């Protein structure tokens, strides 16, 4: 998603930090009820869609 030019300064900064923060976010799979295999960051290489 591109950062919308009409978004607030705060939202632009938060969206700009996505690549920095994404490797630090993990998902506990558990029973799989709240887990999305392709988008959740559950593998060391990151989300499956990105690889």
């Amino acid at each position: 998603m591109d950062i919308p030019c009409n978004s607030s300064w705060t939202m632009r900064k938060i969206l700009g930090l996505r690549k920095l923060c994404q490797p630090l976010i993990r998902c506990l799979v558990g029973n799989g009820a709240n887990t999305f295999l392709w988008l959740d960051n559950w593998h060391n290489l990151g989300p499956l869609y990105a690889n």
Side-chain angles (χ1 to χ4, degrees):
M1 169 179 149
D2 292 331
I3 300 173
C5 60
N6 62 346
S7 60
S8 69
W9 178 88
T10 305
M11 185 54 72
R12 286 193 312 269
K13 294 299 178 184
I14 290 171
L15 291 174
L17 290 172
R18 288 179 288 185
K19 288 189 186 262
L20 177 68
C21 294
Q22 187 176 13
L24 305 174
I25 299 172
R26 294 274 183 233
C27 178
L28 177 61
V29 175
N31 69 1
N34 296 314
T35 303
F36 193 70
L37 179 69
W38 293 104
L39 297 178
D40 289 343
N41 190 17
W42 58 270
H43 192 274
N44 290 336
L45 296 175
L48 294 178
Y49 81 92
N51 293 303

